[in-house]
Structures are given as structure tokens and as C-alpha cells.
Amino acid sequence: MPVPFVDLKAQYRAIRQEIDAAIQDVVTNTAFALGPAVERFEADFAEFLGVRHVVGTSNGTTAIQLSLLAMDVGPGHEVIVPAHTFIATAEAVSHVGATPILVDVLEDTGNMDPDRLEAAITRRTRAIIPVHLYGNPADLDSILQIAEARGIPVVEDACQAHGARYRGRRVGSFGTLSCFSFYPGKNLGAYGEGGAVATDDADLAARIRRLRDHGQSQRYHHAEIGYNARLEGIQGAVLTVKLKHLDGWNRSRREHASYYSSRLGPTGVRVPVVRTECEPVVHLYVVRADDRDGLRAHLEGRGVQSGLHYPTPVHLQPAYAHLGHGIGAFPVAESWARECLSLPMYPELTTDLLDQVIDGVKAFGLIAVPQSNKR
Ligand SMILES: *Cc1c(COP(=O)(O)O)cnc(C)c1O
């Protein structure tokens, strides 16, 4: 039996009645752009995260972009982002006219390296964006400490980390602003595009509400030049239904990850490292292997799909050639890009399917090596 990388159909089958009814309700009420279903989701998600305000947006990239705009970040400013992330983190910085300043990542988790943060800060730094990559919280204690000492706001990129906890508290509740994506494949995925910003700051929330809707402060009164970056009513309805299942789905993901890690650890691939203060939500289960491409082709031959997140670090993307960083500029990010392999991960995975993936990795015949990346 082939093992898909993700299976969104299995999830829909499990919650079909709730979803269909919620969508039908929006269609009946014809509140397609923002509206009551979006307001309901914003309130529910704020309560889930333990923050005062959530503002729904058109996607995760606009969530980051509007967050920066709300703090008046623009041309001449710098925003610090990790070199190993999905391109959107850097793109949002570029979209507001600021310059993304890249920092290398940690060898064990692939998250922003706080020890490299200080050196990247200048008089022009206006924000720091740690990413909770793969659903594993970034080193928030150190990052927040450095940021607070310099008076620089932290914007969490929690686009892969809905529900993850750091020292028992949900990520998305630590930064001045925190951003989420509801792209269909994310742990909390819409049936289309979606995103949100979470914050305790009422003024910033109000500014983002205005910016996402053409800068309107009242109907047809445009206080500033804004955007069309609204969350759709149907997405609000779908997300409200799915939020109730999120903790259960995340628990399943963590169980699958432990199952993988206990069996793959001895095979020579390096399994994900989870620090004690972190409760991840395993958006992606990413191992590292010296012969990553060989392993990937071998799995493909056995019907096991896998993914690469991400095969090229930000500084080596053609789009960011103008930053002027060559190969070797961020060596840890480069090694992650070279060695990372994402194995199938979704809540509905069965033991049978997990075993097929594990057998596939074992059959590749990697030589057992000591786990140098374990803490
Ligand atoms: C998905 C993602 C985004 C962007 O979200 P979109 O909804 O696709 O715009 C940003 N950052 C990270 C880390 C992501 O994984």
C-alpha cells in the first residue's frame, strides 16, 4: 500500500457532517467576506491561544506583512529572520519595503540561533521574527530576553505551530504580535487560504483590522491606504469546526512522532530533537540523513512519499541573491537544507503505514551512528 505524505481526505471523512453544515450555513447567510463566522472563529482562537485579540487575514504571509505595517516597519528598516524557513517569512519583510536580515539556525532544532541574534541587531532593526519551524517552538526565553533588552518587538511566525506549547503556554501568546497560516496542509487548515494575527495589544489589533480591509475605519471612510487581506466567511466556519479537534489531532501527531523516533533513532538517520520546555505539534516530522537524496529515492521506490522542507535556504534563493550572501554564509541552515527529509505525517496515520515508512528507512541500510544531536 502506498503511504501518502499527507491525507486531507481522511480528515474530511471524519468530520464531514460538521464541515458540510458549517459551510452550508455561510452559503445560506451569504456572509462570504469576514462576517459572523469569521468573528466567531477569531473569538474562539483567541481563547484557545490565551490572547485578547485575533484578527483573521487572507493568508499567513499577509498576517506577517500586516503585523509589520501595523508597527510602521518599512523602507530603511531591518527585520531579523532565520535563514532556514519557508520563504514567506522573508517575503513579508520585503513586501513592506524593509530588509530581511538572516541569522543562522541551531544544529539540533533548525530554529533561530539566539547566540547569533545580538550580532545581527543594528540601529535599524525594527522586529525579530522567530519561526516555530516544523511545529517545534523556537528558543523563546533567550530570544525574548535579547529583544526586550534592546526594546525590539518580537513577531512570532507560528504558521506551523498551532497549539504548540513553550513552558506550558501556547506559542502565539509570547510575541508582541504572532502570525498563523491556515493553508490547507497546516495543522489547522482552512478549505482554501487563510491566516491570522494574535496579540494582546488592542491598538495593534485595531490597526490590523483596518489594514486588512482597505484601510477602512468606517464604511467607505479610508483612514489609510490598506489592502484586501480579509479572511473569508467559509474559512471562518471551517476553522471554527476544526479548532475543536486540533488538540486531539496534535496529540496523534506527537504519538506518531514518538513511534517513528523510537524506531528510527537506531537506523542512522537523525531524528528530531525536542527540548524539555517544548511541546511540539509536529507539523512536519523531519529527519536528517547524509545521503538524503538516496534515501528519498529509495522510499519513493517503495511507495513511501516524502517531502523537503526546505531544500534551499533563504540566502541561496535567486529571489534573495541581492542580499549578497554566498554559499557558506549560514552553514547550519545549509546543512539542514542538504540533509532534511520530511516523512509522512498526519493525524490519521495508522500503525501499518508508520511501520511501512520505518521498514523502508531500515531497508535503506544506513549505518548506525551515535546520536550526536540528542540533548
Ligand atoms: C505557511 C507558512 C507561512 C505562510 O503562510 P501562507 O498562508 O502560505 O501565506 C509563513 N511562514 C511559515 C513558516 C509557513 O510555514
Side-chain angles (χ1 to χ4, degrees), residues 129-327:
I129 313 186
V131 179
H132 307 302
L133 198 66
Y134 311 145
N136 194 18
D139 196 342
L140 286 169
D141 278 349
S142 313
I143 293 168
L144 287 165
Q145 197 190 352
I146 294 164
E148 272 160 26
R150 306 291 204 106
I152 300 168
V154 167
V155 177
E156 290 175 69
D157 181 340
C159 288
Q160 302 189 356
H162 322 69
R165 291 176 190 270
Y166 184 80
R167 299 201 189 283
R169 208 169 114 192
R170 304 270 192 199
V171 304
S173 67
F174 290 87
T176 301
L177 295 157
S178 300
C179 303
F180 290 87
S181 164
F182 306 121
Y183 183 78
K186 300 288 164 86
N187 290 34
L188 181 60
Y191 281 11
E193 305 276 348
V197 182
T199 183
D200 280 334
D201 187 314
D203 294 333
L204 287 174
R207 180 96 189 268
I208 293 167
R209 269 179 214 289
R210 194 166 87 178
L211 283 166
R212 76 172 168 182
D213 195 16
H214 299 291
Q216 283 193 112
S217 44
Q218 302 151 36
R219 197 160 173 79
Y220 299 129
H221 178 79
H222 303 274
E224 64 180 321
I225 299 172
Y227 296 80
N228 178 351
R230 297 177 296 240
L231 182 62
E232 296 185 339
I234 285 178
Q235 308 315 335
V238 166
L239 291 166
T240 301
V241 169
K242 290 181 72 171
L243 180 60
K244 295 196 271 265
H245 299 276
L246 181 61
D247 278 333
W249 288 332
N250 285 341
R251 203 173 310 122
S252 300
R253 286 172 181 270
R254 279 192 296 273
E255 283 165 13
H256 300 333
S258 318
Y259 192 86
Y260 270 146
S261 290
S262 62
R263 287 157 182 82
L264 292 177
T267 65
V269 298
R270 285 183 285 161
V271 299
V273 172
V274 178
R275 297 183 178 197
T276 49
E277 65 273 22
C278 298
E279 185 181 76
V281 291
V282 201
H283 171 56
L284 295 164
Y285 182 84
V286 180
V287 299
R288 293 175 70 181
D290 292 338
D291 184 11
R292 187 268 314 276
D293 294 333
L295 176 58
R296 184 164 203 232
H298 164 84
L299 290 174
E300 188 71 40
R302 296 171 63 111
V304 175
Q305 286 184 358
S306 60
L308 302 179
H309 302 89
Y310 297 91
T312 308
V314 176
H315 65 289
L316 300 179
Q317 295 287 355
Y320 281 109
H322 63 274
L323 294 179
H325 302 298
I327 292 174

Side-chain angles (χ1 to χ4, degrees), residues 79-85 89 101-118 120 127-133 136-140 142-144 146 154-155 275 336:
V79 176
I80 300 175
V81 303
H84 180 55
T85 180
T89 318
I101 301 298
L102 307 178
V103 296
D104 212 348
V105 296
L106 292 161
E107 182 61 40
D108 64 347
T109 62
N111 278 325
M112 177 183 274
D113 184 347
D115 289 340
R116 307 199 181 254
L117 200 47
E118 204 88 52
I128 298 168
I129 313 186
V131 179
H132 307 302
L133 198 66
N136 194 18
D139 196 342
L140 286 169
S142 313
I143 293 168
L144 287 165
I146 294 164
V154 167
V155 177
R275 297 183 178 197
W336 272 93

Side-chain angles (χ1 to χ4, degrees), residues 58-88:
S58 50
N59 57 64
T61 312
T62 53
I64 304 172
Q65 187 185 346
L66 298 191
S67 294
L68 296 173
L69 288 168
M71 298 191 300
D72 296 314
V73 178
H77 298 153
E78 296 175 350
V79 176
I80 300 175
V81 303
H84 180 55
T85 180
F86 180 53
I87 195 72

